[in-house]
Amino acid sequence: MERRATGAVVIRHHLTDERFQTDFAGIHGDKVVLVDEDVMSPDATKGNARGWIYDLATGHVTAVTDVPGAPPLSRYGPQAAMSADGKYYYSASVDGGFSNCVGEIDLATMRGRVVDCANTGGSILYVNSGDAGATWTHFTSGGFDGCRVGRGIRMGKPVTIAPDACDTFDTATLGTWQLRTTQTPGQPMQPALPLVAIDGTTQIDLGEARGQSLIVCGGYAYWKRDVRGPTPAQDLLRWRPGRPPEVVFRQPEPPSDSAEAMLLTPKACTDGSVLTVAVTRTTGVSFTATVFSLP
């Protein structure tokens, strides 16, 4: 780490394996969490993610695997969240499971624990930020064809979101509101999923969302939407109770005859208040990612 005269701190994070790239970054106070994902290996041989916690005050670096009580990261470790009270939640692999639990590390005490685990044969995916900590999706059969239930954390304990539904894909909580996208079990994955916000008996239709793009940050729910037509683009929208959804960023698609592909991704809620967004451009096997933040 390098501390500059301006007060800025530069972290030089070295990747020792060419299969990996840094795919999650979160910060709370003097602690920074970086997680690297194996992006080059096929799913059958994909390695588990690797995570590190940098202490900006001392310069010390701690591997997630060295935090007492913290379960190992799964191959989907970058599916993670940072809460406003300084807790890091992530996709974990316990007892050799595929991605079967949610881990938590308290960055103040540097102690970890297992928050929630799937049933035998099930899995947990899409760990994401929620206004009370984190949310995730419990796949009860381990695959897309089975029942999917939204889960989250409240007062330090796991709770179920929309318990009467098996078609949940993404989940989020915003105050007393529960947000979720739906995808019929057993059906092919759809590029646009219906997104609703529910508060008791009140339900608001928020339009369409790309799967795995719903995230809560700084008092807003954010998600991605594809814009079709003569000028296709990818939109980033946000919503909070009492206001209509609004487009906060639009990224035009490359021309249809271009060899370039583009992907807009809301990545993480940094410190519980700042949303990190990535625009990745791919040509063949090479890619360039531009990362920016929205307050």
Side-chain angles (χ1 to χ4, degrees):
M1 285 181 287
E2 174 187 344
R3 192 174 296 274
R4 296 183 174 174
T6 59
V9 177
V10 178
I11 296 176
R12 302 188 186 280
H13 180 63
H14 298 284
L15 297 174
T16 57
D17 191 322
E18 63 182 9
R19 299 173 302 159
F20 286 75
Q21 73 175 31
T22 303
D23 212 20
F24 175 84
I27 184 170
H28 184 84
D30 285 332
K31 301 288 179 61
V32 175
V33 180
L34 297 178
V35 180
D36 300 335
E37 180 181 14
D38 182 351
V39 297
M40 300 300 291
S41 301
D43 280 348
T45 59
K46 190 181 181 76
N48 282 4
R50 303 168 181 176
W52 288 266
I53 301 172
Y54 288 77
D55 189 324
L56 303 184
T58 65
H60 187 67
V61 183
T62 303
V64 167
T65 52
D66 292 335
V67 175
L73 288 96
S74 77
R75 65 178 66 177
Y76 299 114
Q79 294 182 11
M82 296 284 285
S83 69
D85 62 351
K87 293 183 175 64
Y88 158 57
Y89 297 91
Y90 59 95
S91 170
S93 176
V94 175
D95 296 330
F98 161 71
S99 176
N100 59 342
C101 293
V102 177
E104 174 196 273
I105 295 176
D106 187 322
L107 296 176
T109 64
M110 290 297 286
R111 303 287 298 184
R113 68 176 180 129
V114 175
V115 173
D116 193 21
C117 283
N119 60 297
T120 302
S123 59
I124 287 178
L125 294 172
Y126 313 141
V127 179
N128 216 328
S129 65
D131 64 342
T135 60
W136 52 91
T137 302
H138 177 190
F139 290 71
T140 61
S141 69
F144 283 89
D145 293 344
C147 184
R148 300 184 299 269
V149 179
R151 300 274 284 170
I153 191 162
R154 289 282 186 185
M155 305 296 290
K157 297 181 179 180
V159 296
T160 298
I161 301 171
D164 58 342
C166 260
D167 58 353
T168 296
F169 195 84
D170 296 296
T171 60
T173 55
L174 188 58
T176 59
W177 290 84
Q178 298 177 348
L179 294 90
R180 70 186 193 103
T181 58
T182 55
Q183 161 77 20
T184 303
Q187 296 297 312
M189 180 62 195
Q190 301 299 311
L193 304 178
L195 172 63
V196 297
I198 304 168
D199 184 6
T201 59
T202 302
Q203 179 170 309
I204 298 175
D205 181 2
L206 298 177
E208 295 181 341
R210 266 278 188 178
Q212 208 179 338
S213 72
L214 180 63
I215 185 170
V216 167
C217 192
Y220 285 91
Y222 291 85
W223 66 93
K224 187 176 78 170
R225 178 185 68 187
D226 293 331
V227 179
R228 306 173 185 87
T231 55
Q234 295 178 26
D235 280 352
L236 181 66
L237 296 91
R238 72 178 183 180
W239 172 83
R240 66 190 306 176
R243 297 187 183 182
E246 62 177 333
V247 176
V248 294
F249 182 79
R250 171 167 289 184
Q251 178 64 51
E253 294 270 12
S256 58
D257 59 353
S258 171
E260 182 182 67
M262 187 276 300
L263 181 64
L264 170 69
T265 310
K267 298 292 291 183
C269 184
T270 303
D271 208 12
S273 60
V274 179
L275 181 69
T276 303
V277 183
V279 177
T280 305
R281 300 179 182 278
T282 306
T283 304
V285 297
S286 65
F287 64 90
T288 302
T290 302
V291 181
F292 62 94
S293 298
L294 291 172

